[in-house]
Amino acid sequence: MKTEKIDVISGDREKGIARAGEILRRGGTVAIPTETVYGLAASALDDGAIEKVFLAKGRPQNNPLIVHISDIKMLEDVARDIPDAAYRLAETFWPGPLTMVLRRKDAVASRVSAGLDTVAVRMPASKAARDIIEASGVPLAAPSANISGSPSPTAAAHVIHDLDGKVDAIVCGEDCKVGVESTVVALFSDPPRILRPGAVTAEELSDILPGLVIDKAVLSEPESGEAVASPGMLYKHYAPKTETFLIEGESKNYIDFVNSKGDCAAVCFDGEAARITVKKLAYGAQNDGDALAKNLFSVLRAVDALGAKRVYVHAPDKRGIGLAVYNRLLRAAGFKVIKL
Ligand code: TXA
Ligand code: MG
């Protein structure tokens, strides 16, 4: 398949957005920029279009997709029995990196929800994403635009690397400002539950959702055969090909550890790089969670090129957006954590 590249930065933005909308309206697949990660979009009302998304990504059929809307009025087209808390959250955090899981309306293609009675919905902050939704005239289901299992794409080049030849078009826009996927919160159950942490933090959500809990799958490995509230949490994910370990501990201990290891690489904090003698990539300052989130996936994508046998990633603090970074790294490492 020839994949059309639509450049909305140096090309004609208006024409590009209209073209993306046209392909989507006709049941095609188009990768689009959002503020979190690039998404692979298709009409959420069209089972045939959704099937193409699963095929292009090699995504397990039982892992449901997030539906993206451009206007709060679209929420009632895709969800029903919407609690007041959802509107309060929308007022505070939409457009933005928050996904709410609600009861599903039948209009939503059944494949989107992988057979569940619920639907995950978000209104992205990215203006390009909202303009494309509007141009398409339909809500858009969009998982991250990567090959299933590999690090999520935060730049158009990552999407081209993974999906060129497998989708109808790729909209090449800005690099993603947030860098980790949206926070997913289940509102159909009591108490409300964070299924996946993101840039909208547990601390911020608790103000509107008293009693909010964090699903145990966020920080621990599901037992085999265990039912998981968010099927995406089941899989090893975001992983470089190089065997990855997550290292917890103080800077000095981490630096001594990697320096003693020989054939390995380090993914470290900015301030540590100068004292590390093995191959290394820094992903931000230790106290700058936003930077760690923004750089995480591009650094994980660059790890394999270092040609090391193992990579040791220095784990961030779990507060604020750090919880999201930690959650992704835990999966990238296949839950292999070393505490120093
Ligand atoms: O930031 C994001 O959310 C990005 C951009 C493109 O918007 N999208 C994204 O999609 O990360 P994806 O497919 O990579 O992750 C969707 C997550 C998965 O963990 C999935 O299991 C969960 O949301 N999910 C989707 N629908 C659900 C539902 N009905 N119930 C529970 N979890 C659901
Ligand atoms: Mg994903």
Side-chain angles (χ1 to χ4, degrees):
M1 173 190 295
K2 172 128 176 54
T3 298
E4 198 172 317
K5 314 292 184 314
I6 303 174
D7 184 340
V8 292
I9 292 184
S10 37
D12 183 334
R13 185 181 188 279
E14 215 170 303
K15 228 166 118 185
I17 300 271
R19 175 71 186 138
E22 184 191 337
I23 298 170
L24 287 161
R25 199 164 50 243
R26 291 194 192 147
T29 51
V30 181
I32 64 170
T34 87
E35 75 280 17
T36 55
V37 302
Y38 272 72
L40 177 57
S43 167
L45 310 181
D46 181 344
D47 264 315
I50 299 304
E51 184 174 4
K52 294 183 207 164
V53 169
F54 278 92
L55 274 177
K57 276 183 61 87
R59 183 179 178 99
Q61 294 286 343
N62 64 347
N63 192 8
L65 311 182
I66 294 172
V67 174
H68 296 67
I69 59 176
S70 54
D71 191 296
I72 188 76
K73 287 184 207 129
M74 293 172 80
L75 181 60
E76 284 159 30
D77 298 338
V78 296
R80 62 187 164 84
D81 305 334
I82 302 168
D84 285 344
Y87 291 101
R88 288 203 301 279
L89 289 172
E91 233 166 73
T92 310
F93 298 110
W94 278 4
L98 176 69
T99 295
M100 305 185 212
V101 183
L102 297 160
R103 297 259 171 235
R104 180 170 78 94
K105 269 213 169 144
D106 287 341
V108 177
S110 61
R111 275 176 189 270
V112 167
S113 293
L116 298 172
D117 182 34
T118 52
V119 62
V121 191
R122 114 170 167 95
M123 189 195 296
S126 156
K127 180 80 167 69
R130 292 205 311 279
D131 287 349
I132 292 166
I133 300 166
E134 227 176 276
S136 74
V138 286
L140 297 178
S144 48
N146 53 324
I147 292 292
S148 213
S150 72
S152 296
T154 53
H158 301 160
V159 182
I160 292 171
H161 176 272
D162 279 20
L163 295 180
D164 198 10
K166 298 187 167 141
V167 299
D168 292 311
I170 296 173
V171 176
C172 302
E174 289 180 344
D175 289 357
C176 304
K177 294 202 167 69
V178 175
V180 290
E181 305 87 340
S182 60
T183 307
V184 178
V185 61
L187 294 182
F188 61 87
S189 56
D190 196 28
R193 183 178 293 268
I194 291 184
L195 303 181
R196 180 177 72 182
V200 173
T201 62
E203 294 86 337
E204 288 175 299
L205 288 172
S206 302
D207 289 342
I208 296 180
L209 298 173
L212 176 72
V213 296
I214 297 178
D215 198 272
K216 80 179 200 310
V218 166
L219 286 177
S220 62
E221 183 170 19
E223 312 262 327
S224 72
E226 185 183 359
V228 169
S230 185
M233 288 290 164
L234 275 173
Y235 311 106
K236 180 172 175 187
H237 219 146
Y238 319 113
K241 294 195 178 67
T242 312
E243 190 177 16
T244 304
F245 295 81
L246 190 54
I247 312 297
E248 288 185 18
E250 287 174 22
S251 264
K252 179 175 182 320
N253 297 344
Y254 171 75
I255 292 166
D256 289 346
F257 176 82
V258 293
N259 286 348
S260 72
K261 285 287 173 187
D263 183 19
C264 76
V267 170
C268 62
F269 300 128
D270 287 352
E272 298 170 336
R275 285 174 289 154
I276 290 175
T277 53
V278 296
K279 295 167 196 157
K280 68 232 154 190
L281 291 166
Y283 72 123
Q286 180 159 23
N287 61 3
D288 188 350
D290 291 338
L292 297 173
K294 184 164 193 276
N295 298 326
L296 174 71
F297 287 130
S298 55
V299 166
L300 288 182
R301 277 179 179 260
V303 159
D304 292 332
L306 297 177
K309 215 167 132 195
R310 299 207 168 93
V311 60
Y312 297 106
V313 183
H314 199 176
D317 186 282
K318 298 187 197 91
R319 273 171 304 179
I321 195 171
L323 182 65
V325 177
Y326 188 98
N327 165 273
R328 306 312 189 270
L329 283 169
L330 194 57
R331 281 165 177 75
F335 300 93
K336 297 190 296 296
V337 181
I338 299 171
K339 295 187 177 157
L340 300 177

